[in-house]
Every structure is written in structure tokens, then in C-alpha cells.
Amino acid sequence: MRRRSLLLAAVPAGLATLAGCGDNSSSSSKASASPSASASVPPPKIVDGPLPAITAGTKFDEKPTVAKGSGDPSKNLAVKTVIAGSGKAVAENDFIQANYLGQIWSTAKVFDQSYDRTPLLMQLAAGSIIDGWRYGLAGKKVGSRVLMAVPPTWGYGTSGNSQAGIKGTDTLVFVVDVLNSFNSKSSSTGKEVAQSDAALPTVGTNTDGKAPSIEIPKVDPPKKLVANYVLEGDGAEVQSAQTVLCQFKGEVWDSGKVFEQTYESGRLAQFSLEQMQQVLKGLAQGITGKKVGSRIVVVTPPDLAYGNNPPSGGVVKKGSTLVFTVDILAAM
């Protein structure tokens, strides 16, 4: 079973809006309250040291070894860009994909790292991640390696984190390799795939972050699940146990009405496929096995959607077939 990062407080929800959808309002999921000290903690002063040396694994995205801290750490947030990337700059509220290692300043004890697992996918937002990361990584470019020393105020506070063996007085040292970033303007990066079946919806191929069009043919919908590439990415295939980050839009086959979307809403959707399987089986099954970076069209028959129990007061009716276009941005 995949081990969860200690940096995050809870499994992303990601189901509440889809489970009760009935209009075209925006959708997003956030982790619950951060393990940091308090939402009212003021922004830190960012300084360039002191910071311990990286003694091995010095290349980007290579598992590092970090020396023990020397002397007393700063009471401010110490941040240094060890390797400068050339990608887009990360902004607060963006999602980032990163590998990291965290250890305690005074002992060099490693309490968590992702290099032997899967890169972390999380949002740089208040309540989603410790504040040291939120402030320390803002403005850094994709492809950068960042070294940070995070005092308790912007880490786990005076209570520490007993699960990780962190005391309330511990300053934490992190090495973070920023692999990618995503925001509300992100789209699929895949290559166009022919959409030649006249009995299936045709989806737009724009990659500007705006909602792609969905043209639904005036024929009866398929009775079985359909999940096809519109833009085929070159990432790894999504596994059924993973959490995905995506843009999506959902329409009702019969009416063409939009019942849910993230495009142009200022937000992204993040959800566990295992949890989505309990709400919209067809959507979860349609995403599973598709490549990260792709845009797909998923046609979900009623028995794999809401069946005879649609959300009340919305445009989805009993027995509705649903059509989704999904940009699979990342998975973890």
C-alpha cells in the first residue's frame, strides 16, 4: 500500500461536488487542516541560511543525503535554490508535483521522503501543506532543487508531530525537487487522436485552459462505457489506486447541458479513483489505464453513473447518460 506523505493532513475529498452536482458551478478538493501551527501565523522573513550541506545525491531528482545542522538554526525561514530550474514559476495556490526529503536539523534523522515512492502531488495553499513549503516554494521555477530549514512556527508548531518523531522545538530541513506545476489554466499536453466515430461525441482539442467543446450526436447513446483519447499524453498509465489531478467538464447526453466543470472556474479537481468508484463508477473506470497528460472523452451509461438516483434539483435526470471530457494533468 502506498505510504502517505506526512506533509499532508488528510486524503483529498474530491467527491463532494460531483456527488451532489446539479449545475455548472466549479469543483475542487482540498486536503483538510494543515498540521502547521495555526492559520493565523504571520508570513515568515525569508533568509538564505544557515543551511546544512547536501553531501550526496546532488543532482536534480536524485535522492539526497543531507548533513546534520551546525549550531543553532535561524528562527526565520531559510531558503536556498541549489539548482535553478528553467520552467514556469510556481505561485501560491498552484499544485506542484515534487520529490522531497525531510529531516530534523539537530539529529539529521530522516522522517519522510518520496524518492523511494511516488512524487508528492499537493497544493501550495493555506490548510493544504505546512506553511514553510507554502512560502518557501512560491516563486521557484519547475526544475529547481530547493533547500529549506523550517522553524516550528511554519512547520508543525509547538505540538510537533509524534507520528514522525518531531518535537515542538524541532527545525526541519527539506530538500525539494520541483518536477511540475499546475494551475487553473493547465490543459492536456498530448497529441491529437482522430475522432472518427459519428455515433460518439466530438471533443475540442484546444490547450489554452479553456473548456473544450463537446458535440453530442443526435443518436441514441451507447449502452456500454466508452473511454477514448482525444489528446494522447506520454505519461504513465493511471492506476486504479491513484489520486488524479484534472480539469473536466460533464454534460448530459440528451440535453447537452453542462452539470459540472472546472475549466475557467479558477480551480482544479483532485480525487481518489477508489473513492470516485463509489460515486461515478464510469468516470473512475474511464480514467483508469489512460496516460497522464491526456485528454479523454468518457461516455458513462446510467448503470455506471447515477442510474435512477440522480442529484436532486439538477439537470441530471433518472436514467441519464453522461459525457465527460477530462484532462489528466497528474497522478500519484
Side-chain angles (χ1 to χ4, degrees):
M1 180 179 293
R2 179 173 55 84
R3 180 170 174 262
R4 182 169 176 76
S5 168
L6 293 169
L7 294 169
L8 303 179
V11 174
L15 297 174
T17 312
L18 279 173
C21 59
D23 55 35
N24 61 354
S25 60
S26 63
S27 167
S28 178
S29 66
K30 294 182 180 179
S32 64
S34 168
S36 59
S38 169
S40 62
V41 170
K45 178 181 178 181
I46 296 179
V47 297
D48 57 8
L51 286 162
I54 300 174
T55 58
T58 57
K59 296 179 180 179
F60 180 78
D61 205 29
E62 185 177 18
K63 183 179 177 181
T65 300
V66 183
K68 177 181 172 182
S70 177
D72 293 329
S74 174
K75 296 186 182 302
N76 299 307
L77 177 62
V79 181
K80 179 181 179 181
T81 301
V82 180
I83 298 172
S86 59
K88 55 190 173 184
V90 175
E92 187 168 3
N93 294 318
D94 284 358
F95 282 82
I96 70 165
Q97 199 163 29
N99 272 320
Y100 69 94
L101 178 141
Q103 67 184 47
I104 297 171
W105 174 281
S106 60
T107 64
K109 177 187 174 183
V110 175
F111 60 84
D112 198 13
Q113 58 89 17
S114 67
Y115 292 91
D116 296 331
R117 306 195 305 265
T118 302
L120 177 67
L121 176 63
M122 55 81 189
Q123 189 177 22
L124 286 184
S128 295
I129 198 72
I130 61 171
D131 286 331
W133 276 49
R134 185 162 67 96
Y135 291 112
L137 295 179
K140 304 303 181 186
K141 293 184 176 181
V142 171
S144 295
R145 166 167 284 192
V146 182
L147 178 62
M148 296 185 286
V150 181
T153 302
W154 298 282
Y156 294 94
T158 56
S159 59
N161 186 312
S162 58
Q163 177 188 359
I166 298 169
K167 297 179 293 187
T169 56
D170 284 334
T171 288
L172 309 178
V173 177
F174 291 99
V175 176
V176 183
D177 287 321
V178 184
L179 305 176
N180 211 338
S181 71
F182 309 94
N183 58 33
S184 60
K185 296 181 180 180
S186 297
S187 291
S188 165
T189 56
K191 295 182 179 179
E192 287 191 30
V193 175
Q195 302 178 72
S196 55
D197 191 335
L200 293 176
T202 302
V203 175
T205 57
N206 57 295
T207 57
D208 54 3
K210 296 181 179 180
S213 60
I214 301 178
E215 297 181 10
I216 301 174
K218 303 295 184 182
V219 298
D220 291 337
K223 297 188 180 301
K224 294 184 179 181
L225 178 70
V226 174
N228 294 335
Y229 285 114
V230 177
L231 301 170
E232 186 173 356
D234 58 4
E237 293 183 355
V238 178
Q239 304 300 308
S240 61
Q242 288 188 301
T243 291
V244 295
L245 180 70
C246 65
Q247 294 262 35
F248 77 93
K249 180 169 74 170
E251 293 187 6
V252 180
W253 180 288
D254 289 340
S255 67
K257 291 183 178 179
V258 177
F259 62 88
E260 193 70 28
Q261 72 168 332
T262 60
Y263 298 102
E264 301 174 71
S265 71
R267 307 178 119 181
L268 297 174
Q270 184 182 22
F271 50 81
S272 158
L273 291 181
E274 289 180 335
Q275 292 176 307
M276 185 57 71
Q277 179 77 17
Q278 301 170 25
V279 180
L280 282 170
K281 290 182 180 180
L283 182 58
Q285 292 173 15
I287 293 173
T288 301
K290 293 297 188 287
K291 297 175 184 177
V292 171
S294 298
R295 173 173 299 165
I296 60 174
V297 57
V298 181
V299 182
T300 305
D303 61 317
L304 295 176
Y306 294 112
N308 290 322
N309 297 292
S312 60
V315 299
V316 180
K317 306 302 181 183
K318 289 183 178 180
S320 289
T321 293
L322 305 180
V323 182
F324 292 94
T325 175
V326 185
D327 280 10
I328 307 170
L329 302 178
M332 69 170 283

